[in-house]
Amino acid sequence: MTLTLNGKKTDIQDDLTVEGLLGYLMIAPARVAVEVNLSIIKKNDYHTCVLKDGDKVEIVNFVGGG
Amino acid sequence: MTDNLIIKGIEFKSRLWVGTGKYKDFQETKLAIEASGADVVTVAVRRTNIFDNKSDNLLDYIDPQKYKILPNTAGCFTVEDALRYSRIARETGISDLIKLEVIGDEKTLFPDVCATLQATEILAKEGFIVLPYINDDPIMAKRLVDAGAAAVMPLAAPIGSGLGIRNPYNIKIILEQATVPVIVDAGVGTASDVAVAMELGCDAVLLNTAIAGAKDPIAMATAMNHAVKAGRLAFTAGRIDRKLYATASSPIEGML
C-alpha cells in the first residue's frame, strides 16, 4: 500500500498497524505522537490501529523552538 | 522562605524560562540551558525525521524528568492549527502545558489576538494549562484570563528582535490587574532587559534568541541566570522612589 508519511508518498507492506509502522521505522513510541488522517491515535491504540492504502500519517516529535 | 513561582499547582524552581531553538547543536543547547538555571524549556512540535532514525532527539539532551517541557504552537496562524498542534503535543504524554501562539503576521510575528482568545477558551476547557503569547495589551490579558489562561505572556518586543521591554507601563498595568502570573515572553536582548522585567514585578521571563544568538551562548545564559535572580530580589526588596533632585548620602553635620 501507499501511505503519505510525513508528507511523502511511501510504499509499505499492507495491513501494518501504527505500532508496526513505528517498529519498521525504528522509532521509539514514547517520544512521538501519531496522527492518521488528522485524527490523533492514542498510544494504547497503536497495536490495533491498522493503516489503509492512501492514509495520511504524521509522526511528530519535539524539536528546538522558542 | 521560598519565592517560587506556582502555576496551577506546579512549582517552578526558576523564574527564567528558555527556548531550545537556534542553537548550533544539541550539546550547546544542553550546556546553555544548564547555565541558565531554567527548569522550563520550550520546544516546537514538528515532523519526526523518519527517514534518518539515527539523528539525535532533543529530549536525549533535555531530560523531561529534569526539566518541565513546554511545547509551543509556533508557526500556527489559525485557531484550527493551534488546536491541532496543542493536541498532538499533549498526546506525546510529556506535558499538559501549552505555550499558545497564534501568529497574525509573518513580518512582526505579532499574535492574532482574536484567534488566541478563541484557542485559549477551547484548550482550557480541554484541560490544558494554557499560557498564551500576547501583545502588551492589558485588556486582552484580562480577556484571556476570563477565557481560562493559566498565565499571560505579553511580549517585550517582537520575537527575536532583542529590543527589550518597549512598553514597561503597559506591562505594569497588566501586572496591576493580573490574577494569574505574568511572564514576559519574546523580544529580550540582554541581561538588563531581564532584570527590568523582573524589577517591574513580572513573575518570570521566557527567552530564546537572546541566549542562542549571543556570541557566547553559555556565558549569556549565565548572565541571564544572574539577571533574573537580581531583578526578582530587587523587586521584592522594594526600590527607592525616583526623585528629580539630589539627596546627599553623607551628613552635613560635622563638616569643617
Side-chain angles (χ1 to χ4, degrees), chain B residues 122-142:
Chain B
I122 295 167
L123 291 170
K125 279 191 185 131
E126 291 180 14
F128 283 88
I129 299 172
V130 188
L131 312 173
Y133 153 75
I134 53 162
N135 287 308
D136 49 9
D137 175 348
I139 307 303
M140 188 46 65
K142 267 180 35 184

Side-chain angles (χ1 to χ4, degrees), chain B residues 153-167:
Chain B
M153 306 185 69
L155 53 79
I159 294 171
S161 69
L163 290 172
I165 297 188
R166 297 293 79 204
N167 197 340

Side-chain angles (χ1 to χ4, degrees), chain A residues 43-56:
Chain A
K43 284 194 198 297
N44 289 340
D45 299 334
Y46 283 2
H47 67 292
T48 53
C49 178
V50 180
L51 298 166
K52 301 182 305 296
D53 186 55
D55 278 351
K56 289 188 171 62

Side-chain angles (χ1 to χ4, degrees), chain A residues 32-63:
Chain A
V32 296
V34 178
E35 208 188 57
V36 178
N37 304 327
L38 296 176
S39 294
I40 293 170
I41 309 300
K42 301 266 177 207
K43 284 194 198 297
N44 289 340
D45 299 334
Y46 283 2
H47 67 292
T48 53
C49 178
V50 180
L51 298 166
K52 301 182 305 296
D53 186 55
D55 278 351
K56 289 188 171 62
V57 181
E58 297 285 354
I59 303 172
V60 304
N61 65 354
F62 292 139
V63 302

Side-chain angles (χ1 to χ4, degrees), chain B residues 190-253:
Chain B
T190 188
S192 54
D193 297 334
V194 170
V196 167
M198 296 311 293
E199 286 169 14
L200 283 170
C202 293
D203 294 279
V205 175
L206 197 165
L207 57 88
N208 188 153
T209 310
I211 293 178
K215 285 203 178 73
D216 182 343
I218 317 298
M220 186 57 89
T222 308
M224 295 301 191
N225 188 347
H226 289 301
V228 80
K229 287 174 183 156
R232 178 67 186 177
L233 207 51
F235 170 71
T236 53
R239 59 154 299 150
I240 60 163
D241 290 335
R242 288 182 172 86
K243 283 180 289 193
L244 192 55
Y245 294 102
T247 319
S249 302
S250 308
I252 301 297
E253 201 185 307

Side-chain angles (χ1 to χ4, degrees), chain B residues 59-139:
Chain B
L59 296 185
D60 293 333
Y61 291 81
I62 310 298
D63 181 0
Q65 304 295 323
K66 192 172 160 196
Y67 296 100
K68 295 176 183 72
I69 305 296
L70 173 57
N72 68 28
T73 61
C76 293
F77 282 79
T78 63
V79 174
E80 291 69 29
D81 273 351
L83 298 178
R84 184 183 180 198
Y85 277 68
S86 301
R87 290 164 182 159
I88 292 173
R90 181 156 75 169
E91 198 50 40
T92 60
I94 289 168
S95 181
D96 284 342
L97 297 164
I98 192 78
K99 184 192 168 207
L100 178 65
E101 296 179 34
V102 192
I103 303 299
D105 168 56
E106 269 179 42
K107 195 169 178 181
T108 59
L109 297 179
F110 283 145
D112 179 330
V113 289
C114 300
T116 304
L117 185 62
Q118 273 183 51
T120 297
E121 198 164 7
I122 295 167
L123 291 170
K125 279 191 185 131
E126 291 180 14
F128 283 88
I129 299 172
V130 188
L131 312 173
Y133 153 75
I134 53 162
N135 287 308
D136 49 9
D137 175 348
I139 307 303

